[in-house]
Each structure stands twice: as structure tokens, then as C-alpha cells.
Amino acid sequence: MTHRLKKEKNYSYIEAGEGTPIIVLHGLMGGLSNFSSVLDFFSTKNYKVIIPELPIYTMSLLKTNVKSFAKYLHEFITFKGFEEVILLGNSLGGHIGLYHTKHYPERVKALVITGSSGLYESAMGGGYTKRSDYEVIKKKAQEVFYDPAVATKEIVDEVYETVNDRNKLIKTLAIAKSAIRHNMAKDLPNMPTPTCIIWGKNDNVTPPEVAREFNDLLPDSDLFWINKCGHAAMMEHPDEFNQIMNAWLQKRGF
């Protein structure tokens, strides 16, 4: 990332542009750099794009859950002085965005989710029995994407380091259990916030039927597909992702 990480109070975040705030929520093993194309694109389109570092591995174990992360997000929005924001979340970040929206609907103008957890959690936190085997972890990282080449050595190394750090692994498993506990199927029909669902047609982590279920359950949502695309659409097809999201925001008047 070319943008400098700002550190204020107990928050670390990247920020660019001026205008309507878009807060970007990364996933469990997703770095801020996963959203570099989103930051570069939308910060020139009258949006202020903010990517906070979520305290996934720094919260106490008791607070390592979706609910606490959503509260942290609410406190961050208040700290920044934003009345209303657009939330964009991938994977666990989508789940945090949804849970936050359920509890603080008046603060969320619109929601964009991609490969979001919240309905289907079987892929989270599993398969770490051979975590010391680099090739096994490499294969797991590659399976996140349609094109395995997107899983660069840097990405694989980061995942390998995370799952082989005992503290981080315990937190990862705690988050996986929390995601299952905070299933949102019953909540979604009562959440009228306009929602844009952008999904990879070849997502192995949260398969296409998950996107269809989100679209069926949410009262005001639009579903868009990206072909030849896995779990992180904003990384594999950044231009197409940005165009879909931008067109939706413009159509909805955001």
C-alpha cells in the first residue's frame, strides 16, 4: 500500500479521498492491501475511503467475536465523527458489516458485501491439522481464488505465519465459532438497508447459493456475479468489482 497507516487513539487505518465515507472491512486473513484498488478508485470519485485494521488478533479471547468487532466498528465511526457511512465488507468483514447494520441501522447508508460470512460458516477455521506443512497451507490459500496465481508467496507466507502462531490460531478458531453463533438468517428479513451483493461465480469458501440466499432474505438487495472469480472479487477482478459497485452506488444515489 502506498498510503500511510494513520494511528489515532487505539485505531490504525488508511484513509484517502474526500466525500461520502466508505468504510472497508477486511476478512479474517485479509490485509488492508487486498482493497488497494478500491481505495485508489473510489477516493477519486467523491468518496472518503477508510480501511481500519480490525482488532482480530489483539482483542482478549473473550471479546474475539463478531459482536465485539461490530461494536469496535461503531466506536470507530463515532470517533471519526461520521453521521452515516457506506460499509463494504469481504468474508468476515461482510459479517461484521451486517451485524453492525442490524444494531445501528441509522448509521449505515448502504452496505456492500462480497464473499460474506453470516449464513454459511463451514469453511471458516477448519483444516489446520497440517498447519506446519507449507505446501498444504499454500494449497488452502490458492483455493480461495479461481486463479491460484493470485495467491502470491507474500499471501501464502502471511497465512502460514498466522496459522502457526498459537495465539492467532486460537483467535481464528474462536472467530469461526462466533461466526456460527451469529448466523443472521433470522435477522436479514428485518434489515431494509440497501445492499449490493457482489459475488464470485466460482467461490469455494462461500458458494454461489450463499449469495442467492442473502439476496432472497434481504428486503432491498441487488445481486451481481463476477465470472472466473473466487472468494475475493475485489482482488481477482478489481476493475470489474469497482465498476459494479460504482454503478450501483450511482443508480441508488449514494
Side-chain angles (χ1 to χ4, degrees):
M1 288 290 261
T2 51
H3 299 272
R4 195 171 57 82
L5 199 64
K6 290 186 175 182
K7 291 183 185 282
E8 294 180 316
K9 207 180 169 189
N10 56 334
Y11 304 110
S12 299
Y13 61 97
I14 288 165
E15 183 176 70
E18 287 302 329
T20 304
I22 296 176
I23 296 188
V24 179
L25 305 166
H26 61 80
L28 186 57
M29 294 189 194
L32 307 195
S33 59
N34 295 6
F35 291 93
S36 54
S37 69
V38 167
L39 185 80
D40 293 341
F41 182 88
F42 285 98
S43 62
T44 64
K45 302 268 188 236
N46 297 317
Y47 295 101
K48 181 190 276 288
V49 184
I50 307 106
I51 316 178
E53 276 190 337
L54 297 172
I56 287 175
Y57 301 118
T58 54
M59 284 268 198
S60 70
L61 190 57
L62 280 173
K63 288 187 175 176
T64 301
N65 55 54
V66 172
K67 184 179 177 181
S68 291
F69 299 145
K71 185 170 180 283
Y72 178 90
L73 171 61
H74 176 65
E75 288 165 357
F76 178 68
I77 292 168
T78 304
F79 167 75
K80 289 296 290 175
F82 299 139
E83 289 296 316
E84 259 191 323
V85 300
I86 295 164
L87 294 178
L88 160 60
N90 171 238
S91 200
L92 174 70
H95 198 165
I96 294 165
L98 285 158
Y99 196 83
H100 175 278
T101 303
K102 172 193 165 183
H103 288 281
Y104 312 102
E106 72 287 349
R107 305 300 289 272
V108 184
K109 193 189 290 263
L111 189 57
V112 182
I113 56 173
T114 180
S116 178
S117 60
L119 288 176
Y120 174 87
E121 282 30 274
S122 72
M124 285 183 70
Y128 296 127
T129 46
K130 293 187 175 176
R131 66 182 191 272
S132 60
D133 187 328
Y134 186 85
E135 288 306 311
V136 169
I137 297 302
K138 181 180 177 182
K139 190 168 183 299
K140 252 185 101 66
Q142 288 174 336
E143 285 169 0
V144 169
F145 306 101
Y146 175 80
D147 176 5
V150 179
T152 59
K153 185 176 185 303
E154 189 184 7
I155 288 171
V156 177
D157 287 351
E158 197 174 322
V159 174
Y160 183 79
E161 184 271 321
T162 299
V163 299
N164 281 285
D165 177 319
R166 189 169 176 276
N167 178 48
K168 287 184 177 178
L169 182 66
I170 289 167
K171 299 267 176 88
T172 299
L173 298 173
I175 292 163
K177 285 178 186 166
S178 162
I180 294 164
R181 278 201 314 276
H182 292 100
N183 185 289
M184 302 204 62
K186 291 190 176 76
D187 302 312
L188 298 178
N190 304 312
M191 291 170 57
T193 304
T195 306
C196 176
I197 305 166
I198 307 175
W199 223 264
K201 259 286 171 68
N202 312 89
D203 189 338
N204 295 319
V205 181
T206 44
E209 56 266 27
V210 180
R212 292 190 193 96
E213 192 177 348
F214 270 120
N215 196 38
D216 288 344
L217 291 172
L218 284 160
D220 184 10
S221 61
D222 296 297
L223 172 57
F224 303 93
W225 298 106
I226 297 182
N227 291 320
K228 296 186 177 177
C229 180
H231 187 56
M234 70 288 164
M235 291 174 73
E236 274 199 271
H237 294 279
D239 295 341
E240 193 174 347
F241 182 91
N242 290 338
Q243 294 299 338
I244 290 170
M245 180 171 157
N246 188 49
W248 184 82
L249 291 172
Q250 298 315 306
K251 184 185 172 191
R252 291 299 195 107
F254 300 130

